[in-house]
Amino acid sequence: MNVYIVDDDAPLRAAISSLLRSVGLRVFDFGSVPQFLAHQREEAASCLLLDVRLQGISGLEFQAELNRDGVSLPVVFMTGHGDIPMSVRAMKAGALDFLAKPFRDQDLIDAVNSALEVDRGRRQHNQAQHALQACYQSLTPREREIMALAASGLMNKQIAGQVGTSEITVKIHRGNAMRKMQARTFADLVRMAEALGIDTARKG
């Protein structure tokens, strides 16, 4: 798990880096936003410790840029000039925490661990979603149609009448869909259809 620090206070960066490395985290520290952007980030659970007041672009402005660019990186703000309106603005924009300097070591560690857990959960969800999409892409058009109709609550006989085929053929397609989707139960198949955004409104 990686922690990225962006703060123009070199002694503070060094102290935070040492603290976080002491609890087993990988730390990369930068004195400015351009230095951070020039770094090739790894595909691992990560978070960003970001100073609010930086030379050039401010931390809040950079957070807004990350949001606009669709970068999903949990942000924990650090500031020696914190006030309530600033912290509210940061949290509304998606920051996970707002630490006023000087902060306790444990408060920093707790905030970082929470941010890393959020990113790890997001990555696991994305991986599961990609795997689900890959399974769905392996279905034939008819299997996808049968899956959607079955997930909407129609019985095999109703599906057969709606698509103009035999009930036994529907059973075969439905079985194939469950096998390819790796659904252990029909309830699993319904949940998968919902996760994929398939319209499961009753069609019959």
Side-chain angles (χ1 to χ4, degrees):
M1 292 185 286
N2 299 333
V3 180
Y4 301 100
I5 304 170
V6 181
D7 194 312
D8 52 18
D9 184 336
L12 179 63
R13 287 202 317 273
I16 293 175
S17 297
S18 178
L19 172 65
L20 296 178
R21 288 188 179 109
S22 74
V23 294
L25 298 173
R26 295 187 67 196
V27 182
F28 304 86
D29 66 281
F30 310 92
S32 68
V33 167
Q35 290 177 12
F36 168 72
L37 291 175
H39 177 78
Q40 184 67 40
R41 296 196 303 277
E42 300 176 0
E43 282 298 322
S46 307
C47 72
L48 175 62
L49 280 174
L50 183 61
D51 188 36
V52 168
R53 298 185 185 275
L54 296 166
Q55 294 181 3
I57 184 173
S58 74
L60 290 174
E61 290 170 338
F62 182 49
Q63 180 194 25
E65 281 193 9
L66 292 175
N67 289 341
R68 284 195 300 270
D69 293 341
V71 177
S72 298
L73 185 63
V75 176
V76 174
F77 274 110
M78 306 176 294
T79 181
H81 311 275
D83 56 36
I84 292 176
M86 184 183 294
S87 62
V88 169
R89 178 183 166 193
M91 301 299 274
K92 282 185 175 180
L96 292 185
D97 214 333
F98 197 93
L99 301 176
K101 303 172 185 177
F103 37 74
R104 296 189 311 125
D105 289 354
Q106 192 59 51
D107 289 341
L108 175 64
I109 292 171
D110 289 345
V112 166
N113 282 333
S114 294
L116 290 171
E117 190 60 34
V118 166
D119 198 49
R120 181 164 50 190
R122 177 189 65 81
R123 288 173 180 275
Q124 289 174 345
H125 172 76
N126 287 347
Q127 289 172 358
Q129 197 69 12
H130 289 155
L132 196 60
Q133 285 285 357
C135 290
Y136 185 66
Q137 292 301 318
S138 72
L139 269 58
T140 65
R142 180 49 64 97
E143 287 165 354
R144 294 179 192 177
E145 182 182 21
I146 299 299
M147 174 179 170
L149 292 170
S152 74
L154 295 184
M155 304 296 290
N156 289 342
K157 184 175 182 179
Q158 294 172 301
I159 296 172
Q162 187 158 324
V163 302
T165 190
S166 68
E167 188 174 349
I168 187 64
T169 300
V170 169
K171 289 180 180 179
I172 292 171
H173 285 311
R174 178 170 165 168
N176 287 342
M178 289 192 63
R179 175 177 54 80
K180 291 180 180 180
M181 294 299 298
Q182 301 176 24
R184 291 174 296 179
T185 66
F186 178 64
D188 286 341
L189 192 69
V190 173
R191 283 192 289 270
M192 290 173 178
E194 292 174 348
L196 288 164
I198 296 171
D199 181 11
T200 57
R202 188 65 179 260
K203 296 176 173 61

